[in-house]
Amino acid sequence: MTGNRGITKDTQVALMWFIGILIGGFIGISIIFRDMNNGFGTVTFGPTNDFNYMSDSGELFSSEKLSGKVWIGHGVNSDCIQENECKSYINMYASIHEALKDNEDITMISFINGDKEMLDKIKSKYTQKSEKWKILLTPKSDHFNIQNYQSRQDENAFIVDQNGIIRGIYNMSFINEAKKLIKDIKKLI
């Protein structure tokens, strides 16, 4: 009996492909975990949706005005102000605005799910007049899109890069998350 005990050429090629894919997968997963720990890189949360909402100044404000810019977004549900439950994290946004107000490359957007009266109430109670902080009134039908960015939590904020990609989501109930947001957004500009 004379059998060929060696590995066939096809088996060698298949084995090489398997090893190559295994090494590539390991490298890819390592990069993803590295970037998750560093806050950026390959980890994103998807693109933002186009929008065109009424601003606190009474004019329409379109997502096109943010094209090529870095911005911070967050939503405020109508129940939040009525029950005064979100005062602390709206004040946190005011602190973030204060820390970044001199940076011309960053804009803050507050998406308010309510009516004009609620928008005026938030504007008068919690924010300062600034061209860098836009307060937009969202129709109830569109607020679902904003909540998707926030994982359905009013206390979450998100940062968006120059290409309209959400690069981070932060819980504003914690001061260390607000500091991380400020640090991370500076990496994008």
Side-chain angles (χ1 to χ4, degrees):
M1 273 178 69
T2 58
N4 187 355
R5 295 185 183 257
I7 299 175
T8 66
K9 184 96 168 149
D10 289 341
T11 305
Q12 286 177 345
V13 170
L15 188 59
M16 293 299 285
W17 272 104
F18 178 75
I19 291 171
I21 291 170
L22 191 63
I23 291 171
F26 176 75
I27 291 170
I29 290 171
S30 297
I31 290 171
I32 289 171
F33 279 108
R34 180 204 66 199
D35 290 346
M36 283 184 356
N37 289 334
N38 293 338
F40 291 109
T42 57
V43 177
T44 67
F45 297 90
T48 58
N49 296 329
D50 292 337
F51 58 83
N52 192 25
Y53 299 133
M54 185 67 62
S55 73
D56 55 327
S57 63
E59 300 173 4
L60 285 176
F61 186 88
S62 168
S63 55
E64 290 177 9
K65 292 182 181 180
L66 298 170
S67 180
K69 297 181 182 181
V70 176
W71 56 282
I72 302 167
H74 73 97
V76 179
N77 195 328
S78 57
D79 298 336
C80 177
I81 295 302
Q82 292 169 359
E83 297 172 14
N84 213 16
E85 68 183 35
C86 62
K87 180 180 178 182
S88 62
Y89 56 85
I90 290 180
N91 286 335
M92 185 76 75
Y93 297 127
S95 298
I96 291 169
H97 174 263
E98 187 64 29
L100 299 171
K101 72 178 181 184
D102 294 330
N103 193 319
E104 294 297 318
D105 298 321
I106 300 171
T107 301
M108 287 185 62
I109 307 289
S110 295
F111 297 96
I112 308 299
N113 179 238
D115 55 19
K116 177 85 167 94
E117 180 182 327
M118 183 179 165
L119 185 143
D120 292 339
K121 187 176 186 180
I122 290 173
K123 183 177 168 184
S124 67
K125 275 180 114 173
Y126 301 112
T127 65
Q128 306 140 3
K129 178 70 175 149
S130 171
E131 289 300 313
K132 306 298 296 165
W133 189 349
K134 299 290 183 190
I135 303 173
L136 307 179
L137 186 61
T138 66
K140 291 195 184 287
S141 61
D142 284 358
H143 195 63
F144 175 76
N145 294 328
I146 303 306
Q147 287 181 330
N148 280 343
Y149 302 148
Q150 299 181 266
S151 303
R152 305 204 190 311
Q153 309 237 351
D154 281 335
E155 59 270 0
N156 285 353
F158 54 94
I159 57 175
V160 180
D161 69 13
Q162 296 88 338
N163 300 312
I165 305 296
I166 299 170
R167 299 299 299 271
I169 298 176
Y170 307 83
N171 186 330
M172 293 295 100
S173 298
F174 304 103
I175 187 78
N176 61 333
E177 286 281 303
K179 289 178 182 178
K180 185 172 180 352
L181 181 148
I182 291 169
K183 179 181 160 194
D184 286 352
I185 202 161
K186 288 179 179 179
K187 291 178 190 176
L188 291 176
I189 52 173

